[in-house]
Amino acid sequence: MNQATLKDANTLLADMATQLRSLLEQQQITDPVMIGIQTGGVWVAEALHKALTLKQPLGTLNITFYRDDFTRIGMHPQVTPSNLPFEVDDQHIILVDDVLHTGRTIRAALNEIFDYGRPASVILVCMVERTGRELPISADIAGQKLDLTEGQQIKLNGPSPLILTLLENM
Amino acid sequence: MKQQDIQLDSEGRLRHFLTIDGLKRQTLVDILDTAENFSTVGSQNVKKVPLLRGKTIINLFFEPSTRTRTTFELAAKRLSADVLNINISTSSASKGESLLDMLRNFEAMFCDMFVVRHQTSGAAHFIAEHVAPHISVINAGDGSHAHPTQGMLDMFTIRRHKKEFHNLSVAIVGDILHSRVARSQIHALNILGVPDIRVIGPDTLIPKSADNLGVHVYHDIRAGLRDVDVVIMLRLQRERMTGAMLPSEKEYFQCYGLTPDKLALARPDAIVMHPGPINRGVEIASSVADGPQSVILEQVTNGIAIRMAIMSMTLGRSPVSDKEGV
């Protein structure tokens, strides 16, 4: 991984869209559905969904009820429930998040998706793939890969404009 | 005041859910927002979320109930908890002692929550005072005191149709005196900032202290229903009829039964609610109960999401942390 500075979100989005188009072509997937993970993942997904001119509406996931740290951090009420406005069974799904860190969010999201049905495949797309994985999960497409220490955090502000910031020493 | 203390932990979060009285507005809004999220679980293929996996919940019903017990059971199951349903017909002798013995036995089975319905006011509160510190107690109706989860599911139903509380007129019609549902609704409506709460019924079925509840009392249903946004009908508890409180069911229906012509006095977009079970032709005409303004069955559906929210909020209280990412 690179110890580089953060790139601009729009540059990353354009690059991710290009990578994604070529991956879909290579896997001969013609009509995928896209799901963004709340909150930052939905913003990224909205941009990609538009760039790829996908036919089916964008789905959103609120993974609160699937988190593995409920007994430690308790319930944080949020106002936006999950919304998957399509059948999940046999679909090719593009799952989108802003930052891939420990992998626990993706684990929760996959579990939730499977409670809606059995997808044909899931492709994981992240704007930033950083170090610190705690589960065997990796992104199929990442806008940028970053080598960060435990104290460093990436935050995506949005939805418009999308701005990535690096926070030191939480 | 004491109840307010016992149902909150040292950081102001719900530990038990015994009464709406004394809770903060934000707590009620949090419950409604959380329930909104849970309302989509019913549309999943697998109608379950893993939140309370490994938790054991005991439904302790000392009084018969269909809707409340069933929706509590479904709510617990949709949260992946294990549920035991216990229906107890009480012996009147040494109730307090035997109840405590029973609690100790359930605690010895490592349960995490009691959902309690009891014919005596204050029963859930009494149990909450005596359970082990890790156990949460939810009041599923105690005597004529409170039925707080019903009160909350009614607020959820109102918010879904009316969006805001601060400009509403809400009428509650019928036996206010004996109704734990009405009491919980009135507390919730007041806390959520409803400016015009009306109670409508014969003098014998309105509590003498009604004025202290922050409501307007009407004995004439036609005057009381004028321009309201929400009409809540209460079940006429037939057992009260014998207490010479009312002349006859027929006469009650004539005076206080909700018929299409009386409902026409409310706003055209008014919704009609009822906690169930309904007595058709006693407090409500079938044409109204089954009519386009009725949201009675929606209330039942909403009861599941509200109970999921309250169960997970009471069991999910844990050391406060600002850690957001997983």
Side-chain angles (χ1 to χ4, degrees), chain B:
Chain B
M1 286 300 104
K2 208 177 169 196
Q3 292 185 346
Q4 174 186 346
D5 294 337
I6 192 177
Q7 65 180 348
L8 299 176
D9 69 8
S10 58
E11 287 166 274
R13 292 167 308 182
L14 278 180
R15 181 184 164 205
H16 306 293
F17 194 64
L18 308 173
T19 174
I20 292 171
D21 188 17
L23 292 179
K24 289 204 174 79
R25 183 180 196 157
Q26 190 56 47
T27 306
L28 303 199
V29 172
D30 283 351
I31 292 170
L32 297 177
D33 288 347
T34 305
E36 198 63 58
N37 280 318
F38 281 124
S39 65
T40 55
V41 173
S43 65
Q44 294 179 193
N45 265 4
V46 178
K47 294 176 181 39
K48 253 183 198 302
V49 292
L51 219 48
L52 297 188
R53 210 155 53 98
K55 302 280 187 191
T56 303
I57 295 174
I58 299 190
N59 281 335
L60 219 48
F61 277 63
F62 295 86
E63 208 184 61
S65 157
T66 311
R67 232 170 321 272
T68 304
R69 196 194 53 69
T70 312
T71 48
F72 262 112
E73 182 178 350
L74 260 182
K77 286 179 170 169
R78 287 194 179 168
L79 291 166
S80 304
D82 295 311
V83 199
L84 285 175
N85 290 309
I86 308 208
N87 298 312
I88 306 139
S89 44
T90 43
S91 65
S92 55
S94 68
K95 205 180 288 172
E97 254 188 305
S98 61
L99 183 61
L100 284 180
D101 276 344
M102 192 188 303
L103 288 182
R104 298 288 167 255
N105 278 279
F106 288 134
E107 284 177 3
M109 299 174 201
F110 303 109
C111 75
D112 301 283
M113 172 178 278
F114 291 122
V115 175
V116 181
R117 164 165 291 194
H118 202 287
Q119 60 274 34
T120 309
S121 297
H125 182 250
F126 173 81
I127 290 174
E129 276 181 325
H130 291 90
V131 288
H134 71 280
I135 295 178
S136 292
V137 177
I138 294 184
N139 183 3
D142 62 328
S144 56
H145 171 241
H147 193 351
T149 59
Q150 176 73 42
M152 288 311 298
L153 76 88
D154 292 332
M155 298 309 112
F156 185 82
T157 307
I158 292 173
R159 191 174 78 164
R160 280 226 159 160
H161 286 271
K162 300 296 172 191
K163 310 299 175 215
E164 303 281 352
F165 289 101
H166 64 79
N167 52 3
L168 291 185
S169 287
V170 179
I172 307 174
V173 187
D175 182 359
I176 313 290
L177 181 64
H178 301 100
S179 174
R180 55 192 175 206
V181 173
R183 230 168 294 275
S184 288
Q185 288 167 337
I186 291 168
H187 287 310
L189 291 166
N190 271 318
I191 294 168
L192 290 166
V194 171
D196 183 19
I197 308 167
R198 309 178 187 182
V199 297
I200 305 171
D203 199 32
T204 47
L205 295 181
I206 303 276
K208 296 285 168 268
S209 59
D211 292 335
N212 302 332
L213 292 171
V215 299
H216 305 110
V217 177
Y218 291 79
H219 298 304
D220 174 3
I221 189 171
R222 290 178 186 275
L225 288 183
R226 198 165 293 281
D227 295 328
V228 296
D229 302 282
V230 178
V231 185
I232 301 173
M233 301 306 297
L234 298 175
R235 182 173 75 93
L236 185 71
Q237 305 184 24
R238 290 174 185 216
E239 54 274 24
R240 315 279 181 212
M241 305 283 293
T242 53
M245 282 179 168
L246 293 168
S248 73
E249 287 185 358
K250 199 175 163 200
E251 192 167 327
Y252 182 84
F253 183 68
Q254 290 224 315
C255 292
Y256 293 103
L258 189 63
T259 52
D261 63 306
K262 288 181 198 142
L263 179 58
L265 297 164
R267 286 183 175 278
D269 63 348
I271 54 169
V272 175
M273 300 169 56
H274 191 304
I278 61 175
N279 294 316
R280 290 168 185 270
V282 179
E283 69 262 356
I284 190 165
S286 274
S287 59
V288 174
D290 306 328
Q293 286 168 271
S294 167
V295 296
I296 296 172
L297 292 176
E298 270 178 53
Q299 288 173 267
V300 179
T301 306
N302 293 343
I304 301 171
I306 275 290
R307 287 169 178 132
M308 288 171 80
I310 291 166
M311 284 173 158
S312 55
M313 285 170 77
T314 47
L315 282 182
R317 103 209 106 76
S318 41
V320 170
S321 157
D322 54 6
K323 189 185 168 203
E324 277 292 330
V326 280

Side-chain angles (χ1 to χ4, degrees), chain A residues 28-93:
Chain A
Q28 297 176 329
I29 297 171
T30 51
D31 188 20
V33 296
M34 188 175 278
I35 299 174
I37 300 173
Q38 286 176 16
T39 310
V42 174
W43 300 334
V44 177
E46 278 166 352
L48 290 175
H49 189 268
K50 206 168 159 191
L52 268 71
T53 57
L54 298 182
K55 277 174 272 173
Q56 304 206 53
L58 180 67
T60 59
L61 274 191
N62 173 350
I63 58 128
T64 311
F65 305 140
Y66 289 80
R67 290 171 69 120
D68 58 11
D69 52 1
F70 170 69
T71 51
R72 278 192 283 162
I73 70 163
M75 187 63 98
H76 292 270
Q78 290 179 346
V79 239
T80 337
S82 296
N83 176 32
L84 300 184
F86 38 71
E87 288 293 318
V88 164
D89 277 333
D90 302 323
Q91 294 271 20
H92 292 284
I93 289 176

